[in-house]
Amino acid sequence: MSKLVVTSIGPASSVQDGGRPGSQRYGLTPSGAMDRLSLAAANTLIGNELFAAAVEIGPFGASFTARGGAVRVGLAGASRNADIGGRPVAFDSSATIAEGETLTLGFARGGSFSYLAIEHGIEGEPTFGSLAVNARAGLGSPYPRPLQSGDELTTQAASGAPERRIELPAATDAPIRIVFGPQDDEFAEDNKKLLVDSEWKISATSDRMGYRLEGPAIKHLDGHNIVSDGTVNGSIQVPGNGQPIVLMPDRGTSGGYPKIATVITADFGRFAQISAGRPFRFKAVTMAEAQAEAIKFHELLRSLPDRLRGIEDFGLNIEALRDANVAGQAVNAVDASTWQVALP
């Protein structure tokens, strides 16, 4: 067996998988990855099941050292500087950490969460069929809490398979789409309009339970208390102070504040990746449109294995990269196909 030892890590980092669907009927929050597409992409890169347990890394940096043998990993989600023993590693690709080598990750760019999937998965004891961590409930495995320095993630030795990259849809800053309801009748039309016409920011006090929104106050028609009912990922509750809270995977299973709207499934991961303080907007869509987008999202998940590509075996040619005409387009320094310069 090999181990990936956490040598340094910031807060908001834990083991997450596809969560515990079906457990909410027992009052157990589902937990699971904030960005399911990125989790699935990281796992696909190394041949795991789409929603196998992986390390969800928060906005700050982290480092991991391989012990007992090589460990092969897949990286996806919010991009960040990455290297193994000083060698650059690209995101949305796989890489192998040799025995004694360290993978070092910098701060997240353009998002909040990155996913480090480990080939053959992470050894642990499932609770209700999942390793997903919910620190408040003390659930999860191999550690029922956020990861910290010295933790060891046990797995099987790297297979030696060729490294791959994955082609994902381009990132977008389009508004986050919502469906009004189920308690939008608790708000006047002008306040519902305020939700979609305003610019919002995510508060730094947000966490995996809920994202607190900063913006104009949304007023209720007849008070902020209702009979508690079920919640889902993306439920937008409005408490008494009028500042909406978007419920996230570690949410309570029911809530007693009116829910003015719900973030659609297809946009939930993109919403979860919005960094604190970055402005964004909502856009209302119909239920039929939300369902159509959910189908497209699941089709994208199913297509991930077809999006895998090989990585050319070449040495990083800094001079050639410097001379390349890369103005106006995104490039990947360790993928020559993105800057189209023949290496000598």
Side-chain angles (χ1 to χ4, degrees):
M1 304 297 286
S2 297
K3 293 182 179 180
L4 197 61
V5 180
V6 180
T7 47
S8 67
I9 200 162
S13 299
S14 59
V15 172
Q16 296 295 336
D17 55 21
R20 301 179 175 86
S23 64
Q24 200 162 328
R25 74 189 79 174
Y26 308 117
L28 179 62
T29 185
S31 298
M34 298 282 265
D35 180 355
R36 290 170 65 86
L37 175 60
S38 293
L39 171 68
N43 276 313
T44 300
L45 282 161
I46 50 176
N48 291 352
E49 295 293 325
L50 289 185
F51 300 124
V55 180
E56 181 179 82
I57 304 168
F60 300 96
S63 59
F64 305 84
T65 302
R67 300 293 184 197
V71 177
R72 187 163 173 258
V73 299
L75 289 167
S79 181
R80 45 184 99 207
N81 292 336
D83 70 78
I84 298 175
R87 304 187 309 276
V89 176
F91 257 70
D92 295 334
S93 70
S94 64
T96 297
I97 311 168
E99 157 70 25
E101 285 191 323
T102 297
L103 167 67
T104 302
L105 302 171
F107 287 77
R109 299 191 302 266
S112 296
F113 296 97
S114 305
Y115 292 84
L116 174 69
I118 301 173
E119 187 181 42
H120 308 303
I122 297 172
E123 296 288 327
E125 186 66 32
T127 304
F128 284 84
S130 170
L131 301 185
V133 169
N134 183 323
R136 282 186 173 86
L139 292 175
S141 184
Y143 302 98
R145 53 165 172 74
L147 290 171
Q148 59 191 36
S149 179
D151 287 346
E152 299 180 347
L153 304 173
T154 303
T155 188
Q156 299 177 37
S159 66
E163 306 304 354
R164 300 181 289 185
R165 60 187 176 89
I166 192 166
E167 295 181 349
L168 298 174
T172 175
D173 287 329
I176 301 299
R177 291 167 292 185
I178 59 173
V179 173
F180 276 112
Q183 285 99 31
D184 57 312
D185 57 350
E186 297 281 342
F187 305 88
E189 287 300 321
D190 58 342
N191 275 275
K192 292 164 61 175
K193 192 171 186 293
L194 190 62
L195 182 68
V196 294
D197 286 349
S198 302
E199 185 174 84
W200 299 93
K201 294 180 181 179
I202 294 171
S203 168
T205 61
S206 300
D207 58 18
R208 283 183 47 87
M209 187 173 184
Y211 277 13
R212 297 179 181 275
L213 302 188
E214 296 176 345
I218 304 290
K219 296 180 180 179
H220 307 79
L221 282 173
D222 299 304
H224 61 274
N225 288 315
I226 63 170
V227 175
S228 292
D229 65 354
T231 66
V232 297
N233 282 350
S235 291
I236 305 177
Q237 287 190 333
V238 184
N241 63 5
Q243 295 297 309
I245 301 172
V246 183
L247 301 187
M248 306 305 283
D250 284 355
R251 68 187 185 275
T253 57
S254 62
Y257 295 132
K259 294 175 283 294
I260 189 173
T262 307
V263 175
I264 71 171
T265 297
D267 283 3
F268 183 77
R270 187 161 62 88
F271 172 75
Q273 289 284 16
I274 297 175
S275 304
R278 182 163 71 85
F280 71 94
R281 290 181 178 272
F282 290 117
K283 176 184 176 181
V285 297
T286 65
M287 181 64 73
E289 290 171 321
Q291 290 171 336
E293 291 301 318
I295 292 171
K296 291 180 183 178
F297 179 71
H298 288 292
E299 289 174 346
L300 172 59
L301 291 174
R302 286 194 293 269
S303 77
L304 290 178
D306 298 328
R307 294 172 172 268
L308 293 172
R309 302 290 183 269
I311 298 178
E312 297 93 353
D313 184 15
F314 70 96
L316 181 60
N317 188 324
I318 298 297
E319 293 300 322
L321 179 61
R322 184 181 297 122
D323 293 340
N325 180 15
V326 298
Q329 61 180 335
V331 299
N332 181 340
V334 295
D335 182 359
S337 67
T338 66
W339 38 282
Q340 303 298 317
V341 175
L343 297 179

